[in-house]
């Protein structure tokens, strides 16, 4: 291909960047020139700008709220501005193809791609399409699904089930390094707690109030969210991080059980790594309910246990973790039936087929 240039987009949360992080190294090794369009202040900027060989561009973006707000009046103008900015960037960089992971920043990019005649491939991680992807799908060439059931919610002529795209470096973690990083030992299992890229106040609060009961049974790695660590809880067997990037593969390697939100990228990574999980999905009050559907799907397949946030207490947390430990052998056997290796290769193949 003469013009080996690809433009990635996606942001607003780490979940809308992780798949891009899995694909970018592959295209970089193959000699593609790589651009990325994200927001000015989103987490995607922090994650992408540290990568060598990737040029980051920020554009104006709306938030696509589902609730009444005066900001909703301004958002269409922000999206229009972002579309014009993306149109200019695409016109200047002339990518052969665009890959979108979703999130509100991706909508003007996919729209501008259509205006420029550049094929866009969208990846939908959740069981049902998010609002941003719903708006962008009419302008895309292909829409790829992580859950097999998702194709039922997508245009048949564009949809394809590909499975989850897992970052290859996650399979290269070192358990000893992970334990050493946290000052942990082999005599007690490790429980990893993740509340999403922004952290989760109720999960953080309940875990900390439960430490006295949990620490006799687990060593705990707690990824709390930016600005949400609390030194007053520091003690042996309890390690806090705001956010983990380079060391994540080693922490995963050291983890025996995980308590997590139910974003699809994260839970598919735990599945690929065969880590039994207790999922506490975002409630419908804080989201469109996609994490609840994701979690129930995994529970039905015996990959996870589910605890609704409304039911989260010290007592319910302890009870669910006990049940997680007892069911873990069955979960790991079920997880062995899942194979993620072909998913990334198929996504890359589709992107290349879509490039002009």
């Amino acid at each position: 291909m003469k013009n080996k240039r690809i433009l990635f987009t996606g942001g607003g949360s780490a979940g809308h960047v992780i798949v891009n992080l899995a694909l970018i190294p592959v295209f970089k090794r193959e000699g593609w020139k790589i651009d990325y369009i994200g927001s000015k202040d989103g987490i995607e900027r922090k994650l992408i700008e540290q990568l060598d060989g990737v040029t980051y561009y920020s554009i104006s973006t709306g938030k696509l709220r589902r609730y009444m707000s005066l900001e909703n009046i301004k958002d269409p103008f922000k999206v229009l501005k972002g579309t014009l900015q993306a149109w200019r960037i695409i016109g200047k960089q002339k990518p052969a193809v665009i890959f979108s992971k979703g999130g509100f920043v991706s909508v003007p990019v996919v729209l501008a791609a259509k205006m420029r005649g550049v094929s866009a491939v969208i990846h939908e991680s959740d069981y049902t399409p998010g609002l941003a992807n719903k708006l962008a799908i009419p302008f895309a060439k292909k829409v790829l699904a992580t859950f097999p059931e998702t194709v039922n919610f997508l245009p048949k002529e564009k949809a394809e089930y590909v499975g989850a795209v897992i970052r290859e470096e996650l399979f290269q973690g070192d358990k000893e390094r992970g334990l050493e990083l946290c000052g942990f030992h082999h005599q007690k299992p490790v429980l990893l707690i993740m509340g999403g890229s922004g952290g989760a106040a109720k999960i953080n609060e309940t875990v900390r109030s439960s430490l006295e009961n949990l620490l006799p049974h687990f060593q705990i790695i707690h990824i709390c969210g930016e600005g949400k660590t609390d030194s007053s809880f520091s003690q042996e067997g309890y390690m806090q991080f705001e956010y983990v990037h380079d060391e994540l593969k080693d922490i995963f390697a050291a983890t025996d059980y995980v308590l997590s939100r139910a974003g699809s990228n994260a839970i598919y990574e735990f599945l690929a790594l065969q880590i039994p999980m207790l999922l506490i999905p975002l409630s419908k009050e804080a989201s469109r309910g996609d994490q609840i559907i994701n979690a129930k799907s995994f529970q039905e397949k015996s990959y996870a246990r589910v605890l609704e946030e409304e039911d989260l207490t010290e007592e319910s947390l302890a009870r669910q973790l006990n049940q997680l430990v007892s069911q873990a052998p069955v979960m790991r056997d079920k997880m062995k039936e899942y194979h993620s290796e072909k998913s990334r290769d198929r996504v890359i193949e589709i992107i290349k087929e879509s490039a002009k």
Side-chain angles (χ1 to χ4, degrees):
M1 183 182 300
K2 183 178 179 181
N3 182 19
K4 290 181 64 171
R5 181 180 287 273
I6 182 171
L7 189 150
F8 289 87
T9 187
S13 70
H16 288 128
V17 188
I18 285 173
V19 171
N20 290 338
L21 292 175
L23 295 174
I24 285 172
V26 179
F27 284 92
K28 185 178 176 182
R29 284 197 299 268
E30 294 184 4
W32 288 62
K33 295 178 180 178
I34 301 170
D35 301 302
Y36 199 107
I37 294 181
S39 61
K40 182 180 179 181
D41 301 314
I43 190 172
E44 64 272 19
R45 184 166 199 159
K46 182 185 296 185
L47 294 174
I48 297 299
E49 283 193 332
Q50 62 186 334
L51 301 179
D52 293 330
V54 181
T55 304
Y56 188 90
Y57 299 90
S58 62
I59 63 170
S60 172
T61 179
K63 198 172 180 180
L64 304 177
R65 300 170 186 83
R66 294 178 178 81
Y67 52 87
M68 296 299 294
S69 169
L70 289 176
E71 291 297 313
N72 290 340
I73 299 173
K74 302 178 184 177
D75 282 345
F77 299 99
K78 292 179 181 178
V79 172
L80 177 60
K81 180 180 179 182
T83 302
L84 292 173
Q85 291 171 324
W87 185 81
R88 293 190 190 102
I89 294 165
I90 293 168
K92 180 180 179 182
Q93 300 305 115
K94 295 179 172 56
V97 64
I98 289 170
F99 183 81
S100 170
K101 191 55 207 71
F104 50 82
V105 73
S106 70
V107 176
V109 181
V110 177
L111 175 55
K114 182 69 174 179
M115 294 164 62
R116 284 290 190 183
V118 179
S119 295
V121 178
I122 290 175
H123 187 272
E124 175 55 64
S125 291
D126 289 317
Y127 193 99
T128 59
L131 178 57
N133 276 347
K134 282 182 179 179
L135 293 172
I137 283 169
F139 308 105
K141 181 176 183 178
K142 291 281 289 186
V143 188
L144 313 182
T146 299
F147 290 85
E149 299 88 347
T150 307
V151 296
N152 297 321
F153 303 95
L154 301 172
K156 285 184 172 60
E157 70 279 8
K158 296 183 179 183
E160 182 173 334
Y161 163 65
V162 294
V165 179
I166 308 298
R167 292 172 284 176
E168 60 184 359
E169 68 266 21
L170 295 183
F171 297 98
Q172 301 162 4
D174 186 296
K175 180 173 183 175
E176 296 303 323
R177 278 202 301 264
L179 292 173
E180 183 180 354
L181 177 67
C182 301
F184 288 176
H185 52 73
H186 289 272
Q187 283 68 51
K188 199 182 295 182
V190 173
L191 171 64
L192 172 63
I193 296 167
M194 301 178 66
S197 57
K202 188 171 182 182
I203 292 176
N204 290 352
E205 178 184 339
T206 306
V207 166
R208 286 168 176 155
S209 64
S210 302
L211 286 176
E212 184 178 350
N213 294 323
L214 296 179
L215 286 175
H217 307 286
F218 305 100
Q219 299 172 104
I220 297 174
I221 302 172
H222 191 175
I223 302 178
C224 311
E226 187 173 0
K228 295 178 181 177
T229 59
D230 189 334
S231 60
S232 67
F233 287 95
S234 297
Q235 56 188 294
E236 185 178 352
Y238 177 62
M239 187 68 180
Q240 302 177 73
F241 297 94
E242 288 191 352
Y243 185 79
V244 178
H245 188 254
D246 293 339
E247 302 89 354
L248 188 61
K249 62 183 183 297
D250 300 324
I251 285 178
F252 280 175
T255 296
D256 297 289
Y257 311 100
V258 63
L259 184 160
S260 173
R261 286 297 196 196
S264 64
N265 293 304
I267 63 178
Y268 268 101
E269 288 179 347
F270 303 143
L271 170 58
L273 296 169
Q274 298 176 20
I275 303 174
M277 56 193 106
L278 171 60
L279 303 179
I280 304 178
L282 272 169
S283 68
K284 284 190 175 180
E285 291 182 2
S287 72
R288 65 185 178 93
D290 52 298
Q291 289 199 8
I292 296 172
I293 300 172
N294 295 347
K296 287 182 177 177
S297 172
F298 265 46
Q299 182 172 245
E300 289 170 359
K301 295 179 174 71
S302 298
Y303 298 153
R305 292 193 60 81
V306 178
L307 175 59
E308 302 291 350
E309 185 162 355
E310 294 85 352
D311 300 326
L312 176 59
T313 63
E314 292 181 38
E315 293 75 18
S316 65
L317 177 61
R319 182 170 60 253
Q320 288 286 346
L321 287 173
N322 285 335
Q323 293 174 345
L324 177 68
V325 172
S326 65
Q327 293 180 9
V330 173
M331 288 183 176
R332 291 191 181 100
D333 284 341
K334 286 287 186 180
M335 289 174 170
K336 289 175 183 176
E337 300 171 6
Y338 177 78
H339 302 284
S340 64
E341 296 87 355
K342 294 182 180 179
S343 297
R344 190 190 63 175
D345 292 341
R346 178 56 185 149
V347 171
I348 292 168
E349 183 181 10
I350 291 169
I351 292 173
K352 291 179 178 178
E353 288 172 354
S354 301
K356 64 176 184 179

